[in-house]
Amino acid sequence: MRYDYTSIGFYTFDCLGRPVGAIPPGGGTQFIEEIEMAVSGAAGAAVIAAAKHGLNCLAVGGVGDDLMADWVLNRLGHFGVDTSTMQRLSGVGTSSSIVLTRADGSRPALHMKGATGAFEITEDMWDQVLDAKVIHIGGVGLMDRMDGAPSARLFQEAKRRGALTTVDVFAAAEKDLDNVVGLLPHTDYFLPSIEEARVLSGREEIEDVARFFLDKGVTCCILTLGENGAYYRHSNGDRFLMPAFDIEMICSCGCGDAFNAGIATGLVRGMDPESMVRFAQATSALNATGLGSQAGVTSFENTLAFTKTRTRASAEHAAALVA
């Protein structure tokens, strides 16, 4: 296949600052220690992290006709990502965020949706877009022209052509499930955060949440649990919880997206499930050690070495979370 990884969906320009304690009143100024720019979004952060791991990557999404678009495309190209299917769209801005990172790593954001809602993948693009070992859609719920039936048709064709498929979402309400259900029968790995998955499923317990999506047709559900790690539940009955790594967090922006890149890397390299999820956890942890998406991710070799470092919880504690 032409690519290892096609990453479709949400690409955004981020301007980040830290540490931000409060917004100054009126026209006041607060001095902070660090300002950074990054390509983020559920597709953008993932594709750069995957490229840093050595995957041959294709970016598929939309940007506006503005300065942020120039920067995003240049930055993707800097890491060797093929941007030939990124659409420059007039009349909308590039999806952009102002991210206010607190001292504890949490990051409230001001976001402009922009071009994410305006791009589309037409059938004449399928031969290029689907010529990959792993095809990812990141940001379901934000892609106005691609959500629902268009994405489901695309993934049905991806599976017919023999690709592995992964999905991540932007879920704010249970009604967003309508954008997801058509994809799940054609999805090998569903990769939401536990917060998003609970919103979509209306379930609370981790095992119940995972079973809900398996019943909708997905082959494997991997839930990211923040400081509690990640939970793997396959339709064949295999399940385990992988503890999170013990790190000092700088910024949580893009951690889930970096996790998705780790899953893709594990799939391309033929890792077994536990090694794959541990590698994905390591990618997410390294992401959190810098300001902005993928900041702490440098190479496959560095991430693989990091998998041998200390986790926050023992295997016994992890198992208790889903007992």
Side-chain angles (χ1 to χ4, degrees), residues 100-173:
L100 312 174
T101 303
R102 298 188 179 105
D104 65 0
S106 61
R107 33 81 181 171
L110 307 174
H111 180 68
M112 182 186 73
K113 187 174 180 179
T116 296
F119 85 95
E120 64 178 328
I121 301 170
T122 53
E123 286 193 30
D124 61 296
M125 300 171 62
W126 283 8
D127 283 346
Q128 181 177 3
V129 169
L130 301 181
D131 196 6
K133 297 174 185 176
V134 179
I135 298 171
H136 177 63
I137 293 182
V140 176
L142 292 172
M143 304 180 297
D144 295 347
R145 299 189 70 172
M146 284 301 299
D147 278 337
S151 289
R153 289 180 58 241
L154 183 71
F155 257 33
Q156 183 177 22
E157 179 64 15
K159 292 306 303 172
R160 191 190 70 80
R161 298 185 186 209
L164 290 168
T165 54
T166 66
V167 171
D168 196 1
V169 297
F170 180 88

Side-chain angles (χ1 to χ4, degrees), residues 3 29 36 45-46 57 66 71 74 123 125-126 142 160 168 185 206 234 290 300 313:
Y3 304 103
T29 298
E36 187 58 83
C57 298
D66 51 23
W71 191 88
N74 179 269
E123 286 193 30
M125 300 171 62
W126 283 8
L142 292 172
R160 191 190 70 80
D168 196 1
I206 293 172
H234 198 282
F300 173 80

Side-chain angles (χ1 to χ4, degrees), residues 3 20 32 54 97 112 141 159 178 208 213 231 250 291-292 296:
Y3 304 103
V20 177
I32 58 177
S97 297
M112 182 186 73
K159 292 306 303 172
D178 290 343
D208 293 340
F213 295 109
Y231 179 61
I250 299 299
L291 180 60

